[in-house]
Amino acid sequence: MFRHLFLSLSLASVCLLSTGCNNEKHFINDSDYRTRVENDFAEKKSILKNGNLFSVFSNEMTAQEKEALQFLYAYMPISDIADNSGEYFLNNVRLSFNIRDASSWGKNIPDDIFRHFVLPIRINNENLDNSREYIQNELWPRVKNLSMLDAVLEANHWCHEKASYTPSDIRTSSPLATIKTAYGRCGEESTLLVATLRAIGIPARQVYTPRWAHTDDNHAWVEAWVDGKWYFLGACEPEPVLNLGWFNSPASRGMLMHTKVFGAYSGKEETMLQTANYTEINIIENYADKASVTVTVKDENGNTVENANVEFKIYNYAEFFTVYKQKSNAQGQVSLSAGLGDMVVFASHNDKFGIRKISFGKEKAVDITLGHNVNEAYTENLNIIPPAENAKIPAVSEEQRIENDIRLHQEDSIRNAYIGTFPDKDEIEQFARANKLEYESVEPFITKSRGNYKDIMTFLGNASKNEMSKRAIELLQTITDKDLRDTPCKVLEDHLYNTQQEAKAEYVLCPRVENELLTPYRSFLKKEIPQELQKQFTENPQSLVAWCSDSITVRNDLNKGSVPTSPIGTWKSRIVDSLSREIFFVAAARSLNIEAWKDPVTGNVYYMNNGKEQQVNFDVIEKSETAEGTLKAIYKAIPRLDNPKYYTHFTISKYEDGSFKLLNYPEDTTWDSLLKNGEKLEEGYYMLVTGSRVADGGVMSNVTFFTIEGGKETKIEFVMRDNTEEIRIIGNFNSELKYTDVKTKSETSILSTTGRGYFVVGILGTGQEPTNHALKDIEIKKEELEKWGRKMILLFPDEKSYNKFSPTDFPNLPSNIVYGIDTNNAIRNEISQNMKLSNGGNLPIFIIGDTFNRVVFQIDGYTIGTGEQLVKTINGL
């Protein structure tokens, strides 16, 4: 139960929902499918013999409830079974049946649609919680008398009251944690909306593009089943009608759209992957034109190759990201349907591989030859063209738009009123004084914790009373901002009070290992691991490696979906995926005061023994060290790019088990900091991908393959391709950054002002000749810039500078200009850090960027023909 913050919400508050169950009825009416579920459930039960994980089935329940519960247990990842009580799932089954009987639309939902898209609690890889009960209590009274379609729209308005978009790390918070925080990334917002729709009995599924083809990003949204048809909508972004969102246009340029359907699903959609937990389906045709390509893998003699590894890849964030992976059939073939653009196909078999570009819509069948050997050094250029835009936008009346805008404003006010309850500076200062804490030390943690501030303040207050405030702050410094927002006090205290005072904070006290939900595993493991074993592990940490290898069975096939089992669940079940075993090893080691960690770049696991770093290998228990070599890359700068950035311009991947695995360096990594003077890499075969993305979304890429040998230096050419005739992506700019609007005096973001698409941002120097000259140049191009219609945000460094500005001096500036103040120089600093400023960053500065955070144009200081250069770039977009 530790995974949940259970809410004391009574089912009595939804007493209007009658059970209406009949013991003689089946939940699964298709007898063949029911037999399949029963067999899959029996197999799962036979595998998970430890931990008494199926005890809930001895509870009294109806036949329908039992069949529904068996369905969930048959296909849920083993982490869900190990980390949650059976009563939790049974309660959710009953909530689902209750709402089906109470809603006007419940009786019209087909059994298979209800089974796969209403009943399941899990949506993707989020942390599970009691959101279904909470949402029914709060939202049901608002929607119970609405039509199914209107209920979907109303549910999205409710979600908008609760959360708005803000980027965050890859761990997906639970719906209730998102509500508590009042924001989330698109994957969390869409998880919230799907959970909300399912809670009121409306079938829903999360849709995501694994990566956009035309820009470096991805996105997730929601489809809802209404009266026999699937419709899409942007999560927490209410529109007046369905099938409308800011992403209509980019979605029409998509290559793949996926959704994970819980369990074994056999709908009309194209199945891409069937796992023990879910069925992944391809629904690209709901958004864009598509075509199919069949790839045939051949050896150098022209013979087809069966069981070859075949990966379809989209260029995104400077890597070729695998969006579909399959083994070739007896004819050496793999087929895929996708949007009408380019992908790269990589195929491998027995250390032979091939790589080539394919064009959906232009090619129907292609061959790929395994003509390269692993450890062969070579380089290749690839020109990638994404699909063209072909958006279909539903009609919205002016009245609908006005009404929706009014509601959005009201919902912002509701959410902001809730955010206003978070502690302000005075409250934090008062708390710090009362608990003898330094304000500067605790303020960042309390502010970042948002709706979880009570738990963080309680943790800090208790630590102060126990004279452990310094240690408590050390612990908080080791966890993420998201951890601050959703970790209960009792979890943090478990780690604080069960760790030796002198233990290192980073590798012992720290409760986080990778991307798992933080849990109170330390006291549990200290209690459950026998003393004899604890002594053995502490004296020789390698024996803990051996124990994990011998006592924990790895079944990656039963835990698809990147949902790690907690260390407590791992101890109980003893059957987990490989990631969960790694997390358990580090957690157990730290619980026994052994320094251990998982390297964020390579993913390797390490521990310290007698002051020496040791790499963990669960398959080879004898201690071994991986030899390292050095990689140097020689870069000849292209115009406007002196120092390429990792993820923006290049990535490095290592070849392992037939695939290339990305090295996850920090986001501020550059060629200069990584490769100019040499970087230590484990020996092996590697791939360097570089790419110059142009404004239409296309990419001029180079792929270089090379080998690192232990103790030796490898030198390669770092190739950034350039085309002076193309408008190229030259940098990044965070469109979520905020400025102060001079009219409203309120803080707002670039994105909120411009909406999705391209925009101009300028930073002005009031009264300075270069700024005056630039504004006069822009006046000359007024008509063309107004015809373009996109926002031009002109910012001043401070309010004093704005007050000196006289708009009457420039009467012909375009009407689509918005004036603001660059609060704390955040936007100027962002541009300076991410762009090559040819004139040292002197004002004025102008960029053309878009809300995918790409910059295609930049000038600074004195420049002739600013308006003409802006228009020329805009016309080329």
Side-chain angles (χ1 to χ4, degrees), residues 395-412:
V396 177
S397 70
E398 185 65 21
E399 292 78 11
Q400 287 176 309
R401 178 58 63 194
I402 291 172
E403 180 184 355
N404 196 69
D405 288 345
I406 291 172
R407 290 204 64 181
L408 292 178
H409 180 72
Q410 293 170 339
E411 290 150 14
D412 286 338

Side-chain angles (χ1 to χ4, degrees), residues 773-785 812-814 865-868 871:
H773 196 101
L775 293 177
K776 290 295 183 182
D777 282 347
I778 290 172
E779 281 188 305
I780 295 171
K781 296 295 181 179
K782 174 183 179 180
E783 183 178 346
E784 290 162 278
L785 291 168
N812 293 313
L813 286 173
T866 298
E868 183 176 349
V871 169

